[in-house]
Amino acid sequence: MERKLTAILAADVVGYSRLMGADEAGTLQALKDVRAELVEPAIAEHKGRVVKLMGDGLLAEFASVVEAVSCAVAIQAGMAERNDGSSSAREFQLRIGVNLGDVIVDGADIYGDGVNVAARLEGLAEPGGICVADTVYQNVRGKLDVSFEDMGRQQVKNIAEPIHVYGLRLVTEPAPAASALPLPDKPSVAVLPLANLSNDPEQAYFSDGITEDIITELSRFRSLFVIARNSSFTFKDRQVKAQDVGRELGVAHLVQGSIRRSGDRVRVSVQLVKAASEEHVWAERYDRQLADIFAVQDELTQMVATKIGGRLQAEDRHRAVQSRTGNPTAYDCVLRAQSLYYEISRTANAEARPILEEAIRLDPNYARAHVVLAAIHNMDFMQSWSDDPERSLAMAIEIGQKAFALDESDGLVHAQLGEILQNARRFAEAGRHFERALDLNPNDVETRALYGSFIGGESGLEQLEIAERLDPCSFVWIPWIKGSMLFTARRYDDAIATLTQIDSRVTTAKGWLAASLAYAGRTDEARATVAAYLKAVERDLTVVPTSSDQWQAVWRREAKLEHEDDNQHLFEGLRLAGLDL
């Protein structure tokens, strides 16, 4: 039995059964034309070979992973050109997955997990899109004129371990220069991700966590305007000019730097620059014990705030205090768990829980460890990742209230507890926590967005506008929240325009979009969107709903609507779109 390492490309046609049902002969001929005129020539040009055809699908292999990805890009670019100007009824779209893996060779065919993973990656891709495995990403990044979106680790059928997936985007033409965002009326700053200079690349969670803590510390100063983590981190691992970043984020100052960790010592190098001129305002290097990292953060944030903000209010200084621990190992546990939490996956949540429990064992009074653990349980509830969602919510409430008892001055504690209590339909308590969170941290974008969703109406949308300015590079979660609010306000066309902007595979966003399309009278599009939603549900949920009551429970958790008529309005929209609810 021969084995080899090879690059595998899997592709299939989106909505093939629907196309065949509408025009069997025409669809079959169109598929043959696409293969003969585009797909097979592209594979040959990139030194690959077609392994086999499978109905509407195709499997190919390449000796070079760079050639495999280049071929995928060429195919999707060619498909976009062929579809330009065609009617939607005759438009062909492909999904493509690319993996680098070990396969078993049997004559002209290949088998094994390497092939299976490629097929699963293809299933994760959006129509017209490409998904690649982490092994592919590591081999091709920087070598092709494309960009990647980290989609986190995905658990897929019949593959034991989660796959770390990247979505690939074409950048064959330079994007038009975005007009500069106007500067806020406050001193403004963005903290770019501190580069990880440690010998171990796995230490990236530590440099990312320190960056996030600095952002959090600065954002407590109500006299400053501080860009959110999500937007700052879009510049991670990118060579960028200060002027371009300042223009894109609409800020006057940038904080840049690096972290090197070795054993129990940490070296932090940081500089503050004016974005427009790249003039250095201040620079410092800290070489300290890990136990002193909070003192470094205090000095750094106070200096940055003073340099760009001048005379600061006394209450700002008083509030710039974070829930902390005297145990460096507990702090490291929280940073690792936060990194997993941001992956937004069932598997990552499961990994994060014992790490946070260890942090609490090391320091039972560490409020931040409690609140992140509460957030993990809350996400398990909201995403239906738990076998017992109500138990997950009860745990989130219990742990969140423990965090509150430990530190009432942490805005994150109030924001997270507000969301948890809203999920528990304890709306009056939730509102009080959201308002206190904003009072403690007026620059916190997540609190702004959650509070906007909570209060709803025009006032809520105004909060979303503030959140969008604090997080100008957010292409997923703010439009997701805004789209759901517009739907609830019965502004279906606006909801559709917002939800179709989402640049990711957000499962429940597809449900909101389907319901909006249904009420807008776009029935065919609504049903196609529900089909995509159901496919994502099968992939993402621990238990797929099988009854109307189960579906309603899932959507009550998602929508968190206070008024029952709003819930029924949502349910009816999903029914109109074709969901058996």
Side-chain angles (χ1 to χ4, degrees):
M1 182 173 63
E2 181 187 352
R3 306 189 74 101
K4 67 177 179 180
L5 185 68
T6 191
I8 309 115
L9 181 153
D12 80 349
V13 176
V14 178
Y16 184 69
S17 297
R18 174 181 58 81
L19 292 167
M20 287 289 283
D23 180 4
E24 189 173 90
T27 297
L28 186 58
Q29 186 58 52
L31 176 59
K32 290 180 178 179
D33 291 345
V34 165
R35 284 173 172 168
E37 297 169 9
L38 172 62
V39 177
E40 292 177 8
I43 292 170
E45 181 181 345
H46 290 86
K47 305 178 182 62
R49 76 173 183 94
V50 176
V51 176
K52 58 186 172 184
L53 304 176
M54 304 164 289
D56 65 318
L58 174 146
L59 190 71
E61 70 165 336
F62 300 78
S64 162
V65 69
V66 174
E67 291 286 3
V69 176
S70 297
C71 181
V73 170
I75 290 171
Q76 293 293 36
M79 289 299 299
E81 185 176 343
R82 290 173 72 96
N83 287 332
D84 187 29
S86 69
S87 68
S88 59
R90 295 302 305 273
E91 182 178 300
F92 258 47
Q93 287 187 302
L94 299 178
R95 292 187 179 92
I96 297 180
V98 181
N99 185 37
L100 176 65
D102 188 71
V103 298
I104 300 169
V105 180
D106 182 9
D109 211 344
I110 56 176
Y111 300 93
D113 275 353
V115 175
N116 296 336
V117 168
R120 299 307 179 200
L121 289 165
E122 170 264 303
L124 293 172
E126 291 286 353
I130 303 166
C131 281
V132 304
D134 179 65
T135 50
V136 174
Y137 168 74
Q138 298 297 338
N139 277 275
V140 305
R141 62 176 177 173
K143 298 177 183 177
L144 297 173
D145 191 19
V146 296
S147 62
F148 294 89
E149 175 193 3
D150 189 343
M151 296 165 60
R153 286 182 289 183
Q154 305 288 332
Q155 186 71 58
V156 297
K157 282 188 175 180
N158 301 325
I159 302 296
E161 296 297 322
I163 310 169
H164 196 151
V165 181
Y166 289 83
L168 186 149
R169 308 194 180 285
L170 308 187
V171 288
T172 53
E173 296 182 5
S179 57
L181 287 170
L183 292 176
D185 56 5
K186 298 179 179 180
S188 53
V189 64
V191 182
L192 300 188
L194 301 178
N196 170 35
L197 299 186
S198 304
N199 292 329
D200 181 6
E202 295 297 322
Q203 288 292 317
Y205 78 86
F206 185 79
S207 56
D208 289 352
I210 297 297
T211 304
E212 185 175 356
D213 279 351
I214 293 169
I215 293 171
T216 300
E217 291 296 304
L218 283 171
S219 68
R220 296 173 189 269
F221 288 84
R222 61 182 56 254
S223 52
L224 303 181
F225 181 93
V226 184
I227 289 293
R229 173 196 186 277
N230 289 340
S231 288
S232 289
F233 272 69
T234 61
F235 298 96
K236 184 178 178 180
D237 298 330
R238 289 170 55 187
Q239 296 295 321
V240 291
K241 294 182 179 179
Q243 295 99 323
D244 294 338
V245 178
R247 185 183 305 109
E248 186 170 343
L249 299 180
V251 291
H253 297 86
L254 303 177
V255 175
Q256 302 169 305
S258 62
I259 292 184
R260 184 186 300 274
R261 179 180 178 183
S262 179
D264 63 352
R265 296 203 65 83
V266 180
R267 174 175 292 175
V268 181
S269 298
V270 67
Q271 58 188 5
L272 175 68
V273 301
K274 291 183 178 179
S277 63
E278 297 193 352
E279 174 189 349
H280 284 219
V281 178
W282 169 77
E284 186 60 83
R285 188 176 78 177
Y286 304 91
D287 196 348
R288 306 281 181 85
Q289 295 287 329
L290 178 59
D292 296 329
I293 191 63
F294 292 131
V296 171
Q297 291 175 13
D298 278 343
E299 183 179 335
L300 191 159
T301 54
Q302 291 285 342
M303 185 59 69
V304 169
T306 301
K307 290 291 184 182
I308 70 173
R311 190 165 177 268
L312 299 174
Q313 298 174 12
E315 64 173 327
D316 289 337
R317 294 179 179 273
H318 175 71
R319 284 176 174 172
V321 177
Q322 182 183 350
S323 301
R324 290 175 174 172
T325 177
N327 189 311
T329 305
Y331 178 59
D332 186 79
C333 285
V334 169
L335 295 189
R336 284 193 289 137
Q338 284 182 166
S339 178
L340 290 164
Y341 174 73
Y342 287 128
E343 292 187 19
I344 312 180
S345 79
R346 183 171 63 241
T347 303
N349 263 24
E351 290 182 30
R353 279 193 295 273
I355 296 173
L356 289 164
E357 288 162 358
E358 173 65 8
I360 292 169
R361 187 192 68 78
L362 292 167
D363 184 353
N365 295 319
Y366 188 10
R368 181 56 55 87
H370 285 85
V371 77
V372 178
L373 182 56
I376 292 286
H377 284 289
N378 188 50
M379 186 181 290
D380 283 340
F381 167 80
M382 291 191 297
Q383 301 291 340
S384 300
W385 288 340
S386 168
D387 292 333
D388 187 350
E390 295 303 323
R391 172 62 178 162
S392 294
L393 180 60
M395 291 290 293
I397 294 171
E398 178 183 342
I399 299 167
Q401 289 177 333
K402 175 66 173 177
F404 174 67
L406 290 169
D407 189 354
E408 297 183 18
S409 67
D410 189 343
L412 178 62
V413 170
H414 287 278
Q416 190 60 57
L417 195 50
E419 183 180 20
I420 292 167
L421 292 170
Q422 184 184 3
N423 285 333
R425 305 187 65 77
R426 292 161 60 173
F427 296 108
E429 295 172 80
R432 288 194 292 270
H433 281 290
F434 282 136
E435 289 166 3
R436 181 58 176 155
L438 277 180
D439 180 55
L440 289 167
N441 193 336
N443 285 294
D444 188 80
V445 67
E446 185 171 355
T447 301
R448 286 278 177 195
L450 291 173
Y451 182 57
S453 176
F454 174 76
I455 61 176
E458 292 303 317
S459 296
L461 289 170
E462 288 173 5
Q463 293 293 329
L464 264 290
E465 289 178 5
I466 298 172
E468 286 176 312
R469 181 60 186 89
L470 288 165
D471 195 1
C473 295
S474 175
F475 302 116
V476 179
W477 72 281
I478 292 180
W480 177 13
I481 293 174
K482 187 175 181 180
S484 67
M485 292 172 65
L486 289 166
F487 171 85
T488 303
R490 279 62 168 174
R491 292 166 56 180
Y492 308 120
D493 289 338
D494 291 336
I496 292 166
T498 300
L499 291 164
T500 51
Q501 294 174 14
I502 294 179
D503 195 12
S504 183
R505 299 170 310 102
V506 180
T507 300
T508 50
K510 290 180 172 63
W512 289 106
L513 178 57
S516 300
L517 289 164
Y519 276 122
R522 296 160 62 172
T523 307
D524 290 345
E525 294 172 80
R527 291 186 178 278
T529 304
V530 158
Y533 166 68
L534 290 171
K535 183 175 181 180
V537 164
E538 187 176 344
R539 178 193 67 225
D540 291 343
L541 296 193
T542 304
V543 179
V544 177
T546 57
S547 69
S548 175
D549 288 346
Q550 290 174 353
W551 276 117
Q552 288 191 23
V554 166
W555 275 96
R556 286 183 188 278
R557 287 196 290 273
E558 158 64 18
K560 297 179 286 189
L561 296 169
E562 182 173 3
H563 302 295
E564 184 57 24
D565 59 338
D566 287 331
N567 280 314
Q568 293 303 323
H569 168 250
L570 171 60
F571 298 160
E572 181 60 22
L574 291 167
R575 290 188 196 101
L576 290 171
L579 189 65
D580 186 15
L581 183 145

